[in-house]
Amino acid sequence: TDEIMQQEIRPLVAVDIIEQLHRQFAILSGGRGKDGAPIITFPEFAGFSDIPDEDFLNVVTYLTSIPSLEAASIGFIIIIDRRRDKWSAVKASLTRIAGAFPGNLQLVFVLRPSRFIQRTIADIGIKLYRDDFKMKVPIIMLNSVSDLHGYIDKSQLTRELGGTLEYGHSQWIHHRTAIENFAMTVKTTAQMLQTFGTDLAETELPNDVQCTEELLSAHTDHHSKLKDELKLAVKQGATLLTCIREPVTRSANSKLSPDELENVATVERLLAQLDETEKAFDQFWTKHHLKLEQCLQLRHFEHDFREVKLALDNLMEAQASFADIGDSVTRVEHLLREQKQLEEKGQEPLEKAQSLALHGEQLIQNNHYAVDSIRPKCVELRRICDDFTNETKKKYDILGKSLELHKQLDKASQWCEAGIYLLASQAVDKCQSQEGAETALVEIEKFLVTAKEHQLSSPKEFYNQFDMILTPEIKANAQRILQKLEDVQEMFDKRQVSLKKLAAKQTRPVQPVAPHPESSPKRASPKITRSAGQENTSYHYYIRSSVQHKCLRDCSTHLSHIINELIETERVYVEELQSIIEGYASEMDNPNLVHLIPSALQNKKEILFGNLPEIYEFHNRHVGTGGCPAIFLKEIENCIENPELLARCFLKRKEDLQIYEKYCQNKPRSEALWRQCGDSIFFQECQRKLDHKLSLDAYLLKPVQRITKYQLLLKEMLKCSKNSEGTAELEEALATMLDIIKSVNDSMHQIAITGYEGDVSELGKLLMQGSFNVWTDHKKGHNKVKDLARFKPMQRHLFLYTKMLLFCKKREENTDGHEKTASYSFKNSLKMSTVGITENVKGDNKKFEIWYNGREEVYIIQASSVELKNTWISEIRKVLTGQLEACR
């Protein structure tokens, strides 16, 4: 324990009675009796009886307070020197000492007056008045100092009393004032260190670089000044110690008196306490300074992270907007150049991100206190870098495929045009002869060989090869060109058939006549005329259809598509639920399959399937049975013509849809049971009978996916129905589904609470839940320099109910090699009827306070964003307002 901090300084110090001490009517020479009793001497003093009682008492009280408690407990020896005085002075001295001496007395020696008459009077007086002095200790009257030497050794007496003890009153006073000043300096210094340590312990770490640098600089400057004060105090003590030891240093034969030795011990003790205080302060400062330096590193890291993250987000946004894959060779080549420019532009932020992530990992390796904040940011940076790199590679692959596709389509189109031109250029009159027909056949066969060079022979393979990039527009263009290929091929086939017939040897010569547009069809061969007519028709058809227009669906078509999708998926969904219940759940009661059911699954059907039968009954009731349309489905079908009525179908069943919350609450237990038993022969047999491609666990996810599907479909409808009739109801329906999903999500967290001894269901409705940084600021003092500040906030997951606010600690555990599952260990709770809230905390707009019992307990809560903070404050305010209104 630091004595300087725990003990009160003596009420009397030398400087307070300096004038009385200088009068030297009483001295503590440092001499000791044979048993170590301190000696107080009252030298001859002419005006002793004139000394005011207060001055006398102050001096004697001060002198008796100087020796150690051990020495003082033996009792003081008083020597009263009145050799040159009268009996009246002896009597007055004894009377005053007897009435006012504050210490424990052992002996009183009186050197009586040396003159014969006064000595005689003294002998008579001491016998007559001894009882009047009221002293319980012996009073020994001495005739001379030689008599005194029989009781006290000369080495313990000053020269005035015939002894050898060196004593200088002025020097004694100087030493006493110096020792007491040094003691006050030590206490003041320790208090300064304590105050500074308390300020450091209560300092909240800033949230930006500049404030952190300023705080670090201010604390460092203050620390330097305090260290200078410490050095001065140590130097003062060392100088004082040298002065006290000066006689011994000057002469080897000299010895310090017991009082001087006690002075040395006092100064050494003060120096030791000062050293201990300095070590404690240095230890605390080292940790605090490291904390501030790490805080500055963190703020620099966070600042750089925000800048790099913004650059990466812009880069990813630019990449995401780079969705076009081109509709021509020229366009694709242009897109490839733009992609290359984007990749080059992204090199600098990517390098910065990698460097910053490496810096973050170095901070973690150096045992930074904010590991939980730094590590996710490093992971995020590397993830974005990997995403950009992978997405860039994917873009290059897609654009490469697109370039290859359009090159092939261009070649195919050119090939078709060349084929049509070839067919058109073959004169009909020249083909009527055997030689002309054979020549035309050779030209066609040579041309058809080039089709294989362009890989245009298999449209199915063509589609399979480029399926990943076939957008509706590209697919339409490809279909047009492939159809054109087929038509041109058919034209060549028909021309070949005609030419082969003409090339065959004739039994009689036929005079060919070249047809003219104005000629009558009857004058030409029917076959030739029909063939030529078909070819010309095909040729002109491709001229007319060389440019096609794109078809765009309007919002009305999109709404109809959404409703149709809802109807179709609703039927499929119920059929899947039915197959699960009949093919799995009911089979668990089949006595023929009991032997296949694992023991861990016995009597746990309700855990595996939850309230799935209840969900099935709800939808089956509304979908209908026996092929008859039910109310829900019928209403949806009616919405095909009036999409704005769809929202009402969901609003009517707002309460019914709450059954999904119960299902989702049971899902973790169901998944745990499936992981344990999912590979059993029973489930394999059921899956085989149902001819399902997927196992049961995939179908058990359907209800979770379905409730999300409703929300997505309503959101899509709302996009196409802005500012139109029924928009308000759609928004309300969407809000209802989002509330259900939020309720499901909150309930999933609620069931993971552990360690709460009460019944969670009695806390009222769960309004909000989420993770926060939490500091406590209770009414507790800082008593020691070694007290360290708790800079690191507690990570707490809060659950806000209408009656209670729970503080939990989130824990994540791996379950049999599967993904981590969260649990919430209960730590503390506050009744909402007794809390108050402070909405704004100075220095951070993301913080607010919740206090308890008149701010006896204060919880400072930091949200991840201002928006989240405002949402929580709004909900808490509603609870408190509701309670106030209920009280009224």
Side-chain angles (χ1 to χ4, degrees):
T1 304
D2 188 348
E3 293 181 8
I4 296 301
M5 299 303 299
Q6 299 298 325
Q7 286 182 244
E8 288 291 330
I9 294 295
R10 297 182 179 91
L12 277 176
V13 292
V15 71
D16 295 334
I17 55 172
I18 193 71
E19 293 181 5
Q20 293 90 325
L21 290 174
H22 274 296
R23 296 177 71 181
Q24 202 173 345
F25 60 82
I27 63 171
L28 184 70
S29 62
R32 297 293 173 93
K34 294 178 180 179
D35 56 356
I39 299 173
I40 295 179
T41 303
F42 289 85
E44 291 184 350
F45 189 83
F48 184 82
S49 59
D50 298 328
I51 297 171
D53 291 339
E54 182 181 358
D55 293 350
F56 175 83
L57 182 61
N58 285 340
V59 170
V60 175
T61 301
Y62 177 73
L63 294 179
T64 55
S65 68
I66 294 174
S68 65
L69 294 176
E70 180 181 357
S73 65
I74 300 172
F76 288 85
I77 295 175
I78 293 178
I79 299 176
I80 304 173
D81 187 3
R82 292 294 180 264
R83 287 174 292 174
R84 298 178 186 177
D85 217 328
K86 301 177 181 179
W87 159 246
S88 59
V90 173
K91 179 181 177 182
S93 299
L94 289 172
T95 302
R96 172 168 277 185
I97 293 170
F101 193 83
N104 180 26
L105 280 173
Q106 185 186 95
L107 283 173
V108 176
F109 293 102
V110 179
L111 287 171
R112 55 188 165 188
S114 58
R115 287 177 291 178
F116 178 78
I117 296 175
Q118 292 299 326
R119 178 182 300 179
T120 304
I121 295 172
D123 289 340
I124 298 171
I126 196 66
K127 295 177 180 178
L128 295 175
Y129 295 100
R130 182 182 294 275
D131 293 335
D132 294 344
F133 297 141
K134 297 179 181 179
M135 288 189 179
K136 297 180 180 180
V137 297
I139 301 174
I140 301 173
M141 304 294 288
L142 303 173
N143 293 324
S144 64
V145 293
S146 59
D147 294 340
L148 179 63
H149 297 162
Y151 295 93
I152 300 174
D153 191 84
K154 289 183 179 182
S155 64
Q156 302 300 316
L157 296 173
T158 60
R159 294 185 183 277
E160 288 77 9
L161 297 176
T164 59
L165 179 65
E166 294 289 339
Y167 175 78
H169 192 61
S170 297
Q171 186 183 48
W172 182 89
I173 293 175
H174 174 70
H175 285 176
R176 290 309 308 167
T177 54
I179 290 171
E180 289 163 358
N181 284 337
F182 179 57
M184 182 59 67
T185 299
V186 172
K187 180 177 181 180
T188 304
T189 303
Q191 289 174 338
M192 290 169 58
L193 296 179
Q194 172 66 43
T195 302
F196 184 50
T198 302
D199 292 341
L200 297 185
E202 295 175 351
T203 299
E204 185 174 343
L205 293 179
N207 290 322
D208 60 83
V209 173
Q210 182 178 354
C211 291
T212 306
E213 288 177 339
E214 292 173 354
L215 183 65
L216 178 59
S217 176
H219 284 188
T220 303
D221 291 343
H222 198 168
H223 170 261
S224 298
K225 292 178 182 178
L226 288 176
K227 288 293 287 185
D228 291 340
E229 295 287 340
L230 276 168
K231 290 179 181 178
L232 287 176
V234 172
K235 185 177 181 181
Q236 179 185 350
T239 303
L240 178 57
L241 199 60
T242 302
C243 290
I244 296 173
R245 289 172 172 170
E246 192 269 339
V248 178
T249 306
R250 188 178 62 250
S251 173
N253 297 326
S254 298
K255 292 184 179 180
L256 297 179
S257 68
D259 283 359
E260 289 175 327
L261 290 174
E262 285 188 1
N263 288 342
V264 169
T266 299
V267 175
E268 287 177 342
R269 185 177 73 253
L270 290 171
L271 284 171
Q273 291 168 358
L274 197 61
D275 182 65
E276 181 182 353
T277 302
E278 183 179 11
K279 287 179 180 178
F281 175 72
D282 287 343
Q283 182 181 7
F284 174 79
W285 169 253
T286 299
K287 294 181 179 179
H288 178 76
H289 189 257
L290 175 63
K291 179 76 73 172
L292 285 179
E293 287 183 332
Q294 289 187 343
C295 179
L296 183 59
Q297 292 172 348
L298 178 63
R299 299 300 174 242
H300 277 297
F301 178 82
E302 290 173 341
H303 177 267
D304 295 342
F305 173 81
R306 286 191 291 270
E307 290 186 347
V308 172
K309 180 71 163 52
L310 179 61
L312 291 178
D313 288 344
N314 292 336
L315 195 63
M316 293 298 292
E317 185 177 351
Q319 190 180 61
S321 64
F322 204 86
D324 188 8
I325 62 172
D327 55 2
S328 66
V329 173
T330 303
R331 176 61 180 164
V332 174
E333 289 175 343
H334 175 71
L335 291 174
L336 281 169
R337 288 193 295 271
E338 288 186 343
Q339 179 63 41
K340 184 65 175 177
Q341 292 174 356
L342 181 63
E343 183 183 17
E344 293 173 352
K345 179 182 177 183
Q347 288 305 308
E348 183 178 355
L350 287 175
E351 290 174 358
K352 287 183 178 179
Q354 294 288 358
S355 176
L356 187 59
L358 182 61
H359 176 58
E361 290 174 353
Q362 291 174 346
L363 292 179
I364 293 173
Q365 292 175 358
N366 292 334
N367 297 320
H368 197 284
Y369 72 88
V371 171
D372 293 339
S373 174
I374 297 173
R375 181 174 285 115
K377 291 181 176 60
C378 295
V379 173
E380 178 71 1
L381 290 173
R382 295 195 184 280
R383 182 192 64 77
I384 296 177
C385 291
D386 292 341
D387 287 350
F388 180 81
T389 302
N390 295 334
E391 193 63 24
T392 299
K393 184 178 182 301
K394 184 178 177 182
K395 292 285 186 185
Y396 276 124
D397 292 341
I398 291 175
L399 289 174
K401 285 284 186 183
S402 180
L403 181 63
E404 182 182 357
L405 167 66
H406 286 101
K407 284 183 176 179
Q408 289 199 25
L409 290 177
D410 283 354
K411 289 180 180 179
S413 182
Q414 293 170 5
W415 185 84
C416 290
E417 295 298 330
I420 293 171
Y421 178 80
L422 175 63
L423 292 174
S425 64
Q426 288 182 336
V428 178
D429 55 343
K430 293 183 179 179
C431 294
Q432 298 302 313
S433 64
Q434 182 179 359
E435 184 180 355
E438 290 176 350
T439 302
L441 278 171
V442 171
E443 290 176 348
I444 290 173
E445 289 172 356
K446 286 182 178 181
F447 184 80
L448 290 177
V449 171
T450 61
K452 297 179 181 179
E453 297 175 2
H454 299 308
Q455 298 179 352
L456 303 175
S457 57
S458 177
K460 183 177 181 181
E461 292 180 5
F462 178 86
Y463 278 118
N464 291 339
Q465 184 180 2
F466 298 105
D467 182 68
M468 62 181 289
I469 60 169
L470 286 177
T471 64
E473 293 79 10
I474 295 177
K475 191 170 184 179
N477 184 43
Q479 287 176 339
R480 178 181 63 80
I481 294 176
L482 290 174
Q483 183 61 47
K484 186 175 180 181
L485 280 170
E486 292 179 3
D487 292 343
V488 171
Q489 187 67 48
E490 185 180 357
M491 290 167 61
F492 274 112
D493 291 341
K494 291 181 178 179
R495 175 65 64 88
Q496 283 178 314
V497 171
S498 300
L499 290 174
K500 285 178 180 178
K501 289 182 179 179
L502 291 172
K505 292 184 178 180
Q506 305 293 326
T507 54
R508 59 183 179 84
V510 177
Q511 183 65 35
V513 179
H516 296 280
E518 64 273 16
S519 302
S520 171
K522 294 180 180 179
R523 298 183 60 186
S525 168
K527 291 183 179 181
I528 295 175
T529 301
R530 184 166 57 252
S531 175
Q534 290 173 347
E535 291 165 9
N536 288 333
T537 299
S538 298
Y539 175 68
H540 290 296
Y541 166 76
Y542 281 111
I543 293 176
R544 289 194 306 270
S545 62
S546 60
V547 178
Q548 291 186 342
H549 299 286
K550 296 180 179 180
C551 297
L552 300 175
R553 294 177 296 176
D554 56 13
C555 275
S556 176
T557 304
H558 189 48
L559 289 174
S560 298
H561 172 73
I562 293 173
I563 294 173
N564 287 329
E565 183 181 356
L566 178 59
I567 293 170
E568 292 302 321
T569 55
E570 185 73 17
R571 293 184 183 278
V572 173
Y573 175 54
V574 176
E575 290 174 359
E576 289 175 340
L577 292 180
Q578 183 179 5
S579 69
I580 295 169
I581 292 172
E582 294 178 355
Y584 286 98
S586 298
E587 288 297 287
M588 290 184 69
D589 300 324
N590 186 346
N592 297 326
L593 298 178
V594 171
H595 65 285
L596 298 179
I597 299 176
S599 58
L601 194 60
Q602 297 288 345
N603 302 320
K604 292 183 180 179
K605 182 168 71 174
E606 291 76 12
I607 295 178
L608 183 62
F609 295 97
N611 64 330
L612 194 67
E614 184 182 1
I615 294 175
Y616 170 67
E617 287 301 322
F618 164 71
H619 286 277
N620 190 45
R621 183 171 67 250
H622 291 299
V623 173
T625 56
C628 299
I631 299 172
F632 189 36
L633 185 59
K634 187 67 176 177
E635 288 180 354
I636 296 175
E637 290 173 343
N638 292 337
C639 295
I640 294 177
E641 299 297 331
N642 300 293
E644 65 276 1
L645 301 178
L646 180 64
R648 298 179 187 176
C649 301
F650 288 93
L651 291 175
K652 285 181 182 179
R653 288 155 184 86
K654 179 178 180 180
E655 299 299 329
D656 294 333
L657 290 169
Q658 296 294 333
I659 58 177
Y660 280 92
E661 180 177 342
K662 182 178 177 182
Y663 183 83
C664 292
Q665 286 178 350
N666 179 69
K667 199 71 181 69
R669 299 172 64 202
S670 174
E671 290 176 347
L673 188 59
W674 173 259
R675 286 195 294 269
Q676 188 177 359
C677 310
D679 58 352
S680 68
I681 299 176
F682 170 76
F683 291 116
Q684 296 175 9
E685 181 64 18
C686 292
Q687 183 178 347
R688 185 189 63 77
K689 289 181 179 180
L690 292 171
D691 196 23
H692 280 179
K693 294 182 179 179
L694 301 176
S695 57
L696 173 61
D697 59 326
Y699 290 95
L700 290 177
L701 280 174
K702 296 292 183 179
V704 182
Q705 296 168 347
R706 190 61 186 169
I707 200 72
T708 306
K709 182 73 171 181
Y710 290 148
Q711 172 243 331
L712 294 175
L713 291 174
L714 287 171
K715 188 179 291 185
E716 283 298 314
M717 288 198 68
L718 191 58
K719 289 180 182 178
C720 296
S721 306
K722 287 290 183 182
N723 303 322
S724 62
E725 185 180 355
T727 300
E729 287 186 330
L730 270 175
E731 290 176 344
E732 185 180 356
L734 178 58
T736 298
M737 298 309 300
L738 290 174
D739 285 343
I740 292 173
I741 292 174
K742 178 182 178 298
S743 180
V744 167
N745 181 56
D746 288 348
S747 65
M748 294 290 286
H749 289 275
Q750 175 181 267
I751 63 175
I753 296 176
T754 61
Y756 181 69
E757 296 182 356
D759 188 353
V760 177
S761 62
E762 296 178 356
L763 303 182
K765 183 180 180 181
L766 177 59
L767 303 175
M768 301 284 288
Q769 58 82 26
S771 293
F772 297 89
N773 291 332
V774 177
W775 292 263
T776 58
D777 188 13
H778 303 338
K779 291 183 178 179
K780 296 178 181 178
H782 298 274
N783 296 324
K784 295 182 180 180
V785 177
K786 296 181 181 180
D787 289 346
L788 301 180
R790 181 162 189 169
F791 292 108
K792 184 176 180 180
M794 297 179 288
Q795 305 298 318
R796 291 291 182 263
H797 201 90
L798 273 58
F799 293 86
L800 175 64
Y801 295 88
T802 53
K803 297 182 181 180
M804 193 83 76
L805 177 65
L806 299 187
F807 291 78
C808 299
K809 184 173 183 180
K810 185 177 181 181
R811 304 181 187 279
E812 292 185 345
E813 298 178 355
N814 289 325
T815 307
D816 299 333
H818 294 78
E819 61 181 12
K820 292 182 177 179
T821 57
S823 65
Y824 303 97
S825 177
F826 170 76
K827 292 296 181 183
N828 193 17
S829 63
L830 301 176
K831 290 183 179 179
M832 293 305 295
S833 59
T834 59
V835 303
I837 183 171
T838 304
E839 297 184 7
N840 295 303
V841 176
K842 184 178 179 181
D844 193 339
N845 59 359
K846 292 185 290 185
K847 288 182 179 179
F848 62 97
E849 287 182 347
I850 293 179
W851 40 270
Y852 193 60
N853 286 344
R855 296 187 68 85
E856 182 179 344
E857 296 181 20
V858 179
Y859 298 87
I860 303 170
I861 300 172
Q862 184 186 54
S864 58
S865 66
V866 177
E867 293 76 14
L868 180 61
K869 166 197 164 182
N870 292 336
T871 302
W872 272 73
I873 287 177
S874 177
E875 286 296 328
I876 295 173
R877 194 187 300 121
K878 288 178 184 178
V879 174
L880 300 181
T881 304
Q883 292 175 350
L884 181 61
E885 291 176 353
C887 290
R888 289 175 179 171

